[in-house]
Amino acid sequence: HVSLSTDDSALISLCEGINLAEVCIVSSCGWEAVAEGATVGTASNIPGLTIGVIEARGEKCPRCWMHSESADENGLCPRCAAVVSKLDIEI
């Protein structure tokens, strides 16, 4: 999980409506206080942005490798489960 923290409200507003997890290619990402025990760094090209990284919760999807706390009976995340359900295959 990636936590982003800043006092720059313009930056937060700029990112509104953007799926940050998809852009960053991580299981989950959000504007929040950095979790205790996270590896913490700062952005070199965005002053005032603090980035915290901690292992994502949930089960690792065998199809996309993203972690999800909403995996189905086959371990698929909701996104992959929706795609696989439309395919004419059995897993």
Side-chain angles (χ1 to χ4, degrees):
H1 174 74
V2 175
S3 301
L4 303 172
S5 178
T6 185
D7 291 332
D8 186 347
S9 59
L11 176 59
I12 296 171
S13 293
L14 182 65
C15 295
E16 191 173 313
I18 295 174
N19 184 337
L20 295 173
E22 191 172 302
V23 171
C24 297
I25 312 173
V26 296
S27 295
S28 57
C29 182
W31 293 105
E32 60 204 17
V34 174
E36 186 175 325
T39 300
V40 180
T42 57
S44 59
N45 56 348
I46 305 173
L49 178 63
T50 301
I51 305 161
V53 180
I54 196 163
E55 187 174 337
R57 292 187 212 124
E59 192 170 338
K60 183 178 173 182
C61 176
R63 183 172 180 268
C64 71
W65 291 19
M66 295 291 187
H67 287 77
S68 172
E69 294 183 74
S70 305
D72 71 3
E73 64 277 358
N74 298 308
L76 296 172
C77 70
R79 182 175 154 262
C80 288
V83 170
V84 170
S85 72
K86 293 179 182 174
L87 301 174
D88 191 22
I89 62 168
E90 202 168 304
I91 54 173

